Amino acid sequence: MEMKCKTCGRALKTEDEGIIWRRCEICKTPVCFNDIHYMGTKVKGLYKDYIMVIPVCEDELKRKK
């Protein structure tokens, strides 16, 4: 099964995950590092709140703004 980047259509291999592409944290589709965006989310910790950054595709970034 051939995978493609959701944004640009670049062919991706499963063994290259984490090297040249990642999955969108929200919709779980593959996105290459050239097209990936990051979104900060507030997380409650035991003693203080902190910001966790998650990888998202362009479509999810537009939807969440």
Side-chain angles (χ1 to χ4, degrees), residues 3-4 6 9 11 14 18-19 22 24-25 29 31 37 41 44 46 50 52 55-56 61 63:
M3 294 188 311
K4 292 187 177 189
K6 181 178 181 180
T14 55
I19 300 170
R22 288 185 75 176
C24 173
E25 196 70 29
T29 57
V31 183
H37 299 278
T41 58
K44 284 194 159 289
L46 184 60
Y50 61 96
M52 184 173 75
V56 294
L61 185 66
R63 192 174 302 152

Side-chain angles (χ1 to χ4, degrees), residues 2-23:
E2 185 178 319
M3 294 188 311
K4 292 187 177 189
C5 174
K6 181 178 181 180
T7 307
C8 68
R10 177 180 171 186
L12 304 170
K13 297 178 184 176
T14 55
E15 60 267 9
D16 290 337
E17 184 173 4
I19 300 170
I20 63 169
W21 67 274
R22 288 185 75 176
R23 292 193 183 273

